[in-house]
Every structure is written in C-alpha cells, then in structure tokens.
Amino acid sequence: MVSGSGRRAVGRDVVEAAGVERGRDPRKYALVAFGGVALAVTKVIHEFGHGMSCKHFGGDVNEVGVLMIYYVLPALYCNVSDIYRIGRKRERLWVIGAGIYWQLALSAVAALVWLAATPFTLVADFMFLVFIGGTLNILFNCNPLIKLDGYYAF
C-alpha cells in the first residue's frame, strides 16, 4: 500500500519529467499568445475581405480601423458604405458576404492542418483554436438580429 506522501512524490516526479513546475504549463502561455494573434489575423482577413470586394466592384473604402464596443470590446471595422452606389444587389451581397467567405476559407485550412498535425502539439492546438474561433465567429456574424454581416445581408 502506498501512503499519501508516496503518491505525491511520484506525482512530483511525473510533473518534473514533463517540464511542468507546480501546475504552470508553459504551453498554455504560448497558446494564449498564439490565440490572440490568431484572433487578430482572422479579424484582419475578415475585414480585408469586405474592403477588397468593395474595391473590386467599384466602391471606395475610405477607412479601416478599430472601434470600441461599449468602451470595453475592441472590434475592427471596414467602412464599405459605398456599396449602396453599386447598382446590382448581387454585388452588394458579395461585399457583405466576403468577410464571412474568407473567414470560412481560413477556418477550413485550419481544420485541415489540425487534422493532419500530430495530436497534442502546439501546432495542432493552435489550429484547433483558429478553426473553432473562426467557426463560432462566422455563426455570430451571420445572426440577423445583431447589426453585423447577417443583419445587412437579410
């Protein structure tokens, strides 16, 4: 029978062998940092999708920037109000849906890399974050009850 102190000693050896000191996993810090970078890159690609498609169909993009929602949440935006000068409704819908389209493409690539990567590695965890974050962001943006992409598409 192993006493309680014996179990702790074995547990400590396992933790030290894994390179984790008292519950502090350095991978978690890297994953949080990479998650922030992934979120920023995803948002930039989303907004550039709107801007580039607006330029493609003849509209002007005068500003791209960061705004604060309720003075707390930072959000990127791309002013594509020139889409109302575009005559065809189909082209206006392409401009509205371009951000979601590019975000979906990025999420699909992340899902494929996640499936191909070795499980429980930093690359696999990072790609899983990009995939899940992008997918949830697409669902959130498609909601027609909030003044985001889905509101303007419907």
mmCIF file of all heavy atoms in Angstrom, residues 13-35:
data_model
loop_
_atom_site.group_PDB
_atom_site.id
_atom_site.type_symbol
_atom_site.label_atom_id
_atom_site.label_comp_id
_atom_site.label_asym_id
_atom_site.label_seq_id
_atom_site.Cartn_x
_atom_site.Cartn_y
_atom_site.Cartn_z
ATOM 1 N N ASP A 13 7.472 13.644 -9.479
ATOM 2 C CA ASP A 13 8.416 13.157 -10.482
ATOM 3 C C ASP A 13 7.808 13.218 -11.887
ATOM 4 O O ASP A 13 8.489 13.582 -12.844
ATOM 5 C CB ASP A 13 8.841 11.726 -10.179
ATOM 6 C CG ASP A 13 9.706 11.638 -8.927
ATOM 7 O OD1 ASP A 13 10.273 12.684 -8.535
ATOM 8 O OD2 ASP A 13 9.790 10.544 -8.352
ATOM 9 N N VAL A 14 6.554 12.887 -11.998
ATOM 10 C CA VAL A 14 5.885 12.936 -13.298
ATOM 11 C C VAL A 14 5.801 14.377 -13.792
ATOM 12 O O VAL A 14 6.054 14.670 -14.958
ATOM 13 C CB VAL A 14 4.480 12.301 -13.215
ATOM 14 C CG1 VAL A 14 3.690 12.559 -14.482
ATOM 15 C CG2 VAL A 14 4.596 10.820 -12.936
ATOM 16 N N VAL A 15 5.466 15.294 -12.893
ATOM 17 C CA VAL A 15 5.360 16.700 -13.267
ATOM 18 C C VAL A 15 6.721 17.248 -13.681
ATOM 19 O O VAL A 15 6.852 17.954 -14.678
ATOM 20 C CB VAL A 15 4.762 17.522 -12.109
ATOM 21 C CG1 VAL A 15 4.920 19.006 -12.343
ATOM 22 C CG2 VAL A 15 3.306 17.172 -11.921
ATOM 23 N N GLU A 16 7.782 16.905 -12.916
ATOM 24 C CA GLU A 16 9.114 17.383 -13.274
ATOM 25 C C GLU A 16 9.590 16.771 -14.575
ATOM 26 O O GLU A 16 10.260 17.423 -15.365
ATOM 27 C CB GLU A 16 10.096 17.080 -12.141
ATOM 28 C CG GLU A 16 9.878 17.953 -10.922
ATOM 29 C CD GLU A 16 10.747 17.535 -9.744
ATOM 30 O OE1 GLU A 16 11.556 16.606 -9.902
ATOM 31 O OE2 GLU A 16 10.593 18.136 -8.683
ATOM 32 N N ALA A 17 9.248 15.530 -14.838
ATOM 33 C CA ALA A 17 9.653 14.878 -16.089
ATOM 34 C C ALA A 17 8.970 15.536 -17.278
ATOM 35 O O ALA A 17 9.532 15.609 -18.368
ATOM 36 C CB ALA A 17 9.326 13.396 -16.039
ATOM 37 N N ALA A 18 7.758 16.019 -17.088
ATOM 38 C CA ALA A 18 7.036 16.679 -18.172
ATOM 39 C C ALA A 18 7.474 18.123 -18.365
ATOM 40 O O ALA A 18 7.055 18.777 -19.307
ATOM 41 C CB ALA A 18 5.532 16.627 -17.901
ATOM 42 N N GLY A 19 8.302 18.650 -17.472
ATOM 43 C CA GLY A 19 8.758 20.023 -17.596
ATOM 44 C C GLY A 19 7.760 21.033 -17.070
ATOM 45 O O GLY A 19 7.827 22.202 -17.400
ATOM 46 N N VAL A 20 6.834 20.592 -16.267
ATOM 47 C CA VAL A 20 5.815 21.475 -15.719
ATOM 48 C C VAL A 20 6.108 21.678 -14.243
ATOM 49 O O VAL A 20 6.285 20.722 -13.504
ATOM 50 C CB VAL A 20 4.402 20.867 -15.907
ATOM 51 C CG1 VAL A 20 3.352 21.778 -15.336
ATOM 52 C CG2 VAL A 20 4.150 20.590 -17.368
ATOM 53 N N GLU A 21 6.170 22.918 -13.838
ATOM 54 C CA GLU A 21 6.502 23.218 -12.457
ATOM 55 C C GLU A 21 5.267 23.711 -11.715
ATOM 56 O O GLU A 21 4.733 24.773 -12.008
ATOM 57 C CB GLU A 21 7.572 24.301 -12.426
ATOM 58 C CG GLU A 21 8.012 24.674 -11.037
ATOM 59 C CD GLU A 21 9.037 25.791 -11.093
ATOM 60 O OE1 GLU A 21 9.939 25.720 -11.918
ATOM 61 O OE2 GLU A 21 8.882 26.738 -10.304
ATOM 62 N N ARG A 22 4.797 22.944 -10.766
ATOM 63 C CA ARG A 22 3.666 23.299 -9.905
ATOM 64 C C ARG A 22 2.438 23.767 -10.694
ATOM 65 O O ARG A 22 1.858 24.803 -10.405
ATOM 66 C CB ARG A 22 4.076 24.364 -8.904
ATOM 67 C CG ARG A 22 5.067 23.862 -7.913
ATOM 68 C CD ARG A 22 5.229 24.871 -6.817
ATOM 69 N NE ARG A 22 6.253 24.408 -5.923
ATOM 70 C CZ ARG A 22 6.050 24.021 -4.684
ATOM 71 N NH1 ARG A 22 4.845 24.054 -4.185
ATOM 72 N NH2 ARG A 22 7.025 23.607 -3.940
ATOM 73 N N GLY A 23 2.098 23.016 -11.714
ATOM 74 C CA GLY A 23 0.872 23.313 -12.461
ATOM 75 C C GLY A 23 1.021 24.406 -13.498
ATOM 76 O O GLY A 23 0.064 24.763 -14.141
ATOM 77 N N ARG A 24 2.188 24.973 -13.670
ATOM 78 C CA ARG A 24 2.389 26.022 -14.673
ATOM 79 C C ARG A 24 2.917 25.387 -15.951
ATOM 80 O O ARG A 24 4.076 25.036 -16.052
ATOM 81 C CB ARG A 24 3.378 27.059 -14.166
ATOM 82 C CG ARG A 24 2.847 27.806 -12.981
ATOM 83 C CD ARG A 24 3.798 28.902 -12.611
ATOM 84 N NE ARG A 24 3.324 29.528 -11.388
ATOM 85 C CZ ARG A 24 4.106 29.985 -10.454
ATOM 86 N NH1 ARG A 24 5.406 29.890 -10.577
ATOM 87 N NH2 ARG A 24 3.600 30.545 -9.395
ATOM 88 N N ASP A 25 2.053 25.272 -16.907
ATOM 89 C CA ASP A 25 2.422 24.677 -18.179
ATOM 90 C C ASP A 25 2.812 25.799 -19.130
ATOM 91 O O ASP A 25 1.980 26.641 -19.476
ATOM 92 C CB ASP A 25 1.242 23.884 -18.741
ATOM 93 C CG ASP A 25 1.603 23.085 -19.971
ATOM 94 O OD1 ASP A 25 2.771 23.145 -20.395
ATOM 95 O OD2 ASP A 25 0.714 22.394 -20.496
ATOM 96 N N PRO A 26 4.054 25.860 -19.571
ATOM 97 C CA PRO A 26 4.466 26.940 -20.473
ATOM 98 C C PRO A 26 3.733 26.917 -21.806
ATOM 99 O O PRO A 26 3.603 27.941 -22.457
ATOM 100 C CB PRO A 26 5.972 26.717 -20.667
ATOM 101 C CG PRO A 26 6.263 25.368 -20.151
ATOM 102 C CD PRO A 26 5.151 24.967 -19.232
ATOM 103 N N ARG A 27 3.210 25.752 -22.193
ATOM 104 C CA ARG A 27 2.443 25.680 -23.435
ATOM 105 C C ARG A 27 1.166 26.494 -23.356
ATOM 106 O O ARG A 27 0.706 27.023 -24.351
ATOM 107 C CB ARG A 27 2.082 24.226 -23.743
ATOM 108 C CG ARG A 27 3.086 23.507 -24.554
ATOM 109 C CD ARG A 27 2.610 22.127 -24.877
ATOM 110 N NE ARG A 27 1.159 22.043 -24.903
ATOM 111 C CZ ARG A 27 0.494 21.216 -25.665
ATOM 112 N NH1 ARG A 27 1.124 20.411 -26.448
ATOM 113 N NH2 ARG A 27 -0.814 21.174 -25.628
ATOM 114 N N LYS A 28 0.587 26.592 -22.166
ATOM 115 C CA LYS A 28 -0.653 27.355 -22.020
ATOM 116 C C LYS A 28 -0.417 28.828 -22.330
ATOM 117 O O LYS A 28 -1.234 29.470 -22.977
ATOM 118 C CB LYS A 28 -1.216 27.204 -20.610
ATOM 119 C CG LYS A 28 -1.794 25.852 -20.332
ATOM 120 C CD LYS A 28 -2.352 25.784 -18.935
ATOM 121 C CE LYS A 28 -2.851 24.396 -18.610
ATOM 122 N NZ LYS A 28 -3.325 24.285 -17.245
ATOM 123 N N TYR A 29 0.715 29.365 -21.869
ATOM 124 C CA TYR A 29 1.015 30.764 -22.131
ATOM 125 C C TYR A 29 1.247 30.998 -23.618
ATOM 126 O O TYR A 29 0.790 31.988 -24.180
ATOM 127 C CB TYR A 29 2.235 31.210 -21.324
ATOM 128 C CG TYR A 29 2.013 31.128 -19.839
ATOM 129 C CD1 TYR A 29 2.785 30.287 -19.056
ATOM 130 C CD2 TYR A 29 1.022 31.873 -19.225
ATOM 131 C CE1 TYR A 29 2.574 30.192 -17.693
ATOM 132 C CE2 TYR A 29 0.800 31.793 -17.870
ATOM 133 C CZ TYR A 29 1.583 30.952 -17.100
ATOM 134 O OH TYR A 29 1.370 30.861 -15.762
ATOM 135 N N ALA A 30 1.954 30.083 -24.253
ATOM 136 C CA ALA A 30 2.185 30.203 -25.690
ATOM 137 C C ALA A 30 0.872 30.086 -26.454
ATOM 138 O O ALA A 30 0.644 30.815 -27.422
ATOM 139 C CB ALA A 30 3.165 29.137 -26.159
ATOM 140 N N LEU A 31 0.003 29.200 -26.008
ATOM 141 C CA LEU A 31 -1.272 29.004 -26.677
ATOM 142 C C LEU A 31 -2.165 30.239 -26.542
ATOM 143 O O LEU A 31 -2.847 30.626 -27.494
ATOM 144 C CB LEU A 31 -1.971 27.769 -26.114
ATOM 145 C CG LEU A 31 -3.010 27.106 -26.989
ATOM 146 C CD1 LEU A 31 -2.411 26.726 -28.331
ATOM 147 C CD2 LEU A 31 -3.572 25.892 -26.307
ATOM 148 N N VAL A 32 -2.135 30.880 -25.382
ATOM 149 C CA VAL A 32 -2.916 32.108 -25.196
ATOM 150 C C VAL A 32 -2.380 33.210 -26.100
ATOM 151 O O VAL A 32 -3.142 33.932 -26.743
ATOM 152 C CB VAL A 32 -2.904 32.538 -23.706
ATOM 153 C CG1 VAL A 32 -3.451 33.936 -23.544
ATOM 154 C CG2 VAL A 32 -3.700 31.557 -22.871
ATOM 155 N N ALA A 33 -1.068 33.339 -26.177
ATOM 156 C CA ALA A 33 -0.472 34.356 -27.044
ATOM 157 C C ALA A 33 -0.795 34.069 -28.509
ATOM 158 O O ALA A 33 -1.178 34.971 -29.258
ATOM 159 C CB ALA A 33 1.041 34.401 -26.835
ATOM 160 N N PHE A 34 -0.642 32.805 -28.921
ATOM 161 C CA PHE A 34 -0.970 32.441 -30.291
ATOM 162 C C PHE A 34 -2.463 32.603 -30.567
ATOM 163 O O PHE A 34 -2.853 32.950 -31.682
ATOM 164 C CB PHE A 34 -0.545 31.008 -30.594
ATOM 165 C CG PHE A 34 0.926 30.848 -30.807
ATOM 166 C CD1 PHE A 34 1.585 29.740 -30.325
ATOM 167 C CD2 PHE A 34 1.659 31.803 -31.479
ATOM 168 C CE1 PHE A 34 2.939 29.573 -30.529
ATOM 169 C CE2 PHE A 34 3.011 31.664 -31.683
ATOM 170 C CZ PHE A 34 3.655 30.539 -31.199
ATOM 171 N N GLY A 35 -3.291 32.352 -29.571
ATOM 172 C CA GLY A 35 -4.728 32.551 -29.737
ATOM 173 C C GLY A 35 -5.069 34.008 -30.003
ATOM 174 O O GLY A 35 -5.916 34.321 -30.846
#
